[in-house]
Amino acid sequence: NAGVTQTPKFRVLKTGQSMTLLCAQDMNHEYMYWYRQDPGMGLRLIHYSVGEGTTAKGEVPDGYNVSRLKKQNFLLGLESAAPSQTSVYFCASSAPGRGVGYTFGSGTRLTVV
Amino acid sequence: GQQLNQSPQSMFIQEGEDVSMNCTSSSIFNTWLWYKQEPGEGPVLLIALYKAGELTSNGRLTAQFGITRKDSFLNISASIPSDVGIYFCAGPYGGSQGNLIFGKGTKLSVKP
């Protein structure tokens, strides 16, 4: 039972480069999320999706884009990476509804130099 | 915006000791969730609380939904080294979607 799988696990980018983080879930969850985690800041929501073909902005969306072309996949893109985007990125998924617990992936550690 | 305040920020305890941590909000929450994050991993759901006053256990962990609905507490009894990690509280905020907002976490270190 894979749950939520994130690729890659680690990546180093140069400022200005672009990349896409992939999240895949096998639980048939409707909702998917991208969070970033920085020391002392907790988890902050970047973008989320409530279904295939839909996306919405979270708390810190600037500099990121997302796509949900298939229900099981949620992609996070950085068009022009900046050092401020150095962080650990977590994808999560859940069933619909308020207060439903999320299942998280194991994270992608991104460093922008 | 809404914030969840967790305390303490960090704890250094001896194996076998009991642990208490809490989470407070300026707004009422209808659900409280407690997660644990181990080094190098994503957060894992430990306990979910859905009713004011509710007390729920998961092994040595016990969480309570505060009567005011503005706070929640997590206790760990007889701590062991594998309890090490960051413990996050979370709750749904805003609109019908109710995306989770997370506290900044309590980092627990256990000395054998």
Side-chain angles (χ1 to χ4, degrees), chain A residues 31 33 35 37 40-43 45 48 50 90 97-107, chain B residues 31 33 35 37 40-43 45 50 88 92-100 102-104:
Chain A
Y31 294 176
Y33 315 84
Y35 283 85
Q37 184 177 32
M41 299 295 291
L43 291 154
L45 183 63
Y48 65 96
V50 298
F90 287 99
R98 286 181 66 86
V100 176
Y102 296 176
T103 301
F104 283 86
S106 57
Chain B
T31 300
L33 305 172
Y35 283 83
Q37 183 181 27
E41 297 295 329
L45 182 64
Y50 298 105
F88 292 99
Y93 74 98
S96 59
Q97 166 57 22
N99 291 327
L100 292 182
F102 287 82
K104 294 182 180 180

Side-chain angles (χ1 to χ4, degrees), chain A residues 5-10 19-24 34 107-108:
Chain A
T5 303
Q6 292 184 234
T7 53
K9 293 191 181 302
F10 303 93
M19 79 162 294
T20 299
L21 281 67
L22 172 65
C23 177
W34 277 106
T108 294

Side-chain angles (χ1 to χ4, degrees), chain A residues 15-34:
Chain A
T15 298
Q17 285 186 321
S18 63
M19 79 162 294
T20 299
L21 281 67
L22 172 65
C23 177
Q25 54 97 2
D26 62 2
M27 296 170 287
N28 202 35
H29 282 166
E30 285 293 328
Y31 294 176
M32 296 186 75
Y33 315 84
W34 277 106

